[in-house]
Amino acid sequence: MLLSLVVHTYSLRYWFPAVVMLGTAPAYVLSWGACRVLTAVLPSRLYRRMDDHLYNIYQSLVLFFFENYTGVEIVIYGDVPKIKENVVYLSNHQCTADWIIADMLAIRQEALGHVRYVLKDGLKWLPLYGWYFSQHGSVYVKRSAKFDEKAMKKKLSSQTVLGTPMYLVIFPEGTRYNPELKKMISDSQAFATKEGLAALDHVLTPRMKASHIAIETMRDHLDAVYDITVVYEATLGKSSDRQPAPTMPEFLCKESPRVHIHFERVDMKEIPPESVIFRDWLHKRFEIKDQMLTTFYESEDPDKKGKFPGEGQRSHLSIMKTLPSLLFLGGLTLPMLLTESGRKLYVRTWVYGTLLGWLWVNVSP
């Protein structure tokens, strides 16, 4: 009985946030749809501003749970600019919570609504979210030979022409690093060796195509590239063996009490435009990440282990930046659920929004 109660209480830690985040999605989509109709005859720039504002509201709700609710401690190494910039965000990738880390940095620059992603093509089938991310400016890409370079350039070029504020998140490794998947790591190292590049231990060999296309297509629009390295302190085991990073449910269950983020701003003039030279530049960036992660996990010096180089600063996110979004979207959702007609509209939004979204994301250019 006691064990059952403990398990039930533990599950509520992530079920409650999940229900709220998913449950408010229809209200959010309906709000977006109403605004889209109202701005249909207005210039595209005005619609983009409205869309970015709504996206900021929803993602602030998400951060209420992932940061304020969990009480996670964010430690940042490096100086995050206080102003908004048009950037490409390049980071190591180890779990689904990595997307939230990008949001955590963006909200500290008042740029949360500008966050867009380069996503695996299969994610476009997510109900409601899949098509919304696409219309918000995110790009779906396929791997290897199926990669559609022309489509990516077209999408990003259209954003540049409109002057769309850009905080484009890319994970160059292409998939998540998991220390327990030894074959995946060895295959990545073998690929690097074959290409004449250094083999890496704590990150996978980065693939350069999406990053290069994004940076070159938007070069004149971008201010900088943000080079980000993330460690979830929960992955630091008692021995030197690195543990798997937390999943989103585990993160919401407060299993990662501290996150270390190493931030480096790279000016555009430092990034080579030629593809071959860019590949070497990107790989050297990941070599630096690998060295920092090796020290973080394996150093025998207690002053270096569990830390990034430099002085880390704890960064607290005020609840007043996130709570209003929870109250706003919650206030839109609850009335829908209290009446029969509202519940029907709620269900129809999920069903028809998903079906129309799948159609839209597969036929739109």
Side-chain angles (χ1 to χ4, degrees):
M1 174 68 108
L2 181 59
L3 178 61
S4 176
L5 179 61
V6 169
V7 171
H8 181 66
T9 302
Y10 179 86
S11 66
L12 283 177
R13 287 184 179 182
Y14 66 86
W15 276 116
F16 170 64
V19 167
V20 174
M21 287 186 283
L22 292 173
T24 55
Y28 175 79
V29 170
L30 288 172
S31 300
W32 171 84
C35 291
R36 186 69 183 99
V37 171
L38 292 173
T39 58
V41 296
L42 299 177
S44 296
R45 291 175 186 267
L46 293 179
Y47 161 67
R48 283 296 170 194
R49 287 183 185 178
M50 176 278 298
D51 180 56
D52 284 358
H53 182 65
L54 282 177
Y55 188 72
N56 176 77
I57 292 174
Y58 185 77
Q59 291 299 89
S60 294
L61 175 147
V62 171
L63 284 178
F64 170 83
F65 288 109
F66 277 93
E67 191 159 352
N68 299 121
Y69 169 81
T70 63
V72 63
E73 183 178 284
I74 304 299
V75 183
I76 300 177
Y77 302 76
D79 298 321
V80 179
K82 302 298 183 183
I83 60 173
K84 299 177 185 179
E85 294 188 294
N86 291 319
V87 302
V88 168
Y89 170 113
L90 302 178
S91 176
N92 61 317
H93 193 23
Q94 53 201 310
C95 65
T96 51
D98 291 337
W99 304 100
I100 306 300
I101 304 302
D103 287 351
M104 290 177 176
L105 288 176
I107 198 172
R108 285 163 169 79
Q109 292 180 267
E110 304 294 335
L112 186 56
H114 303 165
V115 175
R116 310 172 211 284
Y117 310 100
V118 172
L119 300 160
K120 289 187 289 189
D121 188 68
L123 294 175
K124 70 184 180 184
W125 299 106
L126 285 174
L128 294 186
Y129 296 95
W131 67 267
Y132 178 79
F133 281 141
S134 179
Q135 74 79 35
H136 182 65
S138 296
V139 182
Y140 290 108
V141 297
K142 295 181 180 179
R143 295 178 181 173
S144 61
K146 295 182 179 180
F147 187 95
D148 192 338
E149 181 176 332
K150 184 178 179 180
M152 184 175 184
K153 285 182 176 179
K154 183 177 180 179
K155 182 96 181 243
L156 294 177
S157 294
S158 66
Q159 303 286 334
T160 302
V161 170
L162 290 172
T164 303
M166 186 59 63
Y167 200 104
L168 186 66
V169 178
I170 303 177
F171 299 108
E173 291 161 282
T175 192
R176 298 188 293 272
Y177 177 98
N178 186 332
E180 295 181 343
L181 301 181
K182 304 298 184 184
K183 185 178 186 304
M184 179 181 68
I185 296 171
S186 63
D187 287 347
S188 177
Q189 293 171 333
F191 175 79
T193 302
K194 178 183 175 183
E195 296 295 314
L197 302 168
L200 307 172
D201 295 317
H202 286 283
V203 290
L204 301 176
T205 303
R207 306 304 174 106
M208 54 80 67
K209 187 172 287 187
S211 303
H212 184 249
I213 290 173
I215 291 172
E216 289 310 305
T217 302
M218 301 188 295
R219 180 173 282 271
D220 294 337
H221 184 56
L222 298 173
D223 297 303
V225 165
Y226 290 170
D227 185 0
I228 309 298
T229 309
V230 178
V231 168
Y232 301 89
E233 195 165 294
T235 62
L236 185 63
K238 294 182 180 179
S239 65
S240 60
D241 292 335
R242 178 177 173 180
Q243 303 300 309
T247 61
M248 280 189 174
E250 289 171 342
F251 196 99
L252 288 170
C253 287
K254 308 181 183 183
E255 292 191 14
S256 184
R258 187 177 293 109
V259 178
H260 298 260
I261 305 172
H262 187 274
F263 178 96
E264 184 174 353
R265 183 186 186 276
V266 183
D267 194 85
M268 292 303 298
K269 65 177 180 290
E270 299 179 30
I271 302 171
E274 300 85 0
S275 60
V276 175
I277 302 177
F278 177 85
R279 183 189 72 163
D280 292 338
W281 174 86
L282 181 63
H283 195 84
K284 286 176 182 176
R285 281 277 155 186
F286 271 73
E287 285 182 50
I288 294 171
K289 292 180 188 296
D290 193 57
Q291 291 165 4
M292 289 194 298
L293 292 170
T294 298
T295 300
F296 190 98
Y297 288 109
E298 301 177 17
S299 177
E300 296 181 358
D301 185 343
D303 292 329
K304 294 181 178 180
K305 187 171 184 176
K307 301 175 184 176
F308 280 134
E311 184 177 352
Q313 299 291 332
R314 291 178 176 84
S315 180
H316 173 72
L317 178 65
S318 170
I319 195 172
M320 294 311 298
K321 284 182 175 274
T322 59
L323 182 60
S325 295
L326 173 66
L327 297 177
F328 173 75
L329 289 173
L332 291 178
T333 301
L334 284 176
M336 294 175 63
L337 300 177
L338 293 177
T339 64
E340 184 177 353
S341 59
R343 288 191 290 272
K344 288 181 180 178
L345 177 61
Y346 183 88
V347 172
R348 286 169 182 167
T349 301
W350 266 111
V351 175
Y352 295 127
T354 298
L355 294 175
L356 291 174
W358 286 346
L359 177 64
W360 186 87
V361 82
N362 281 284
V363 300
S364 61

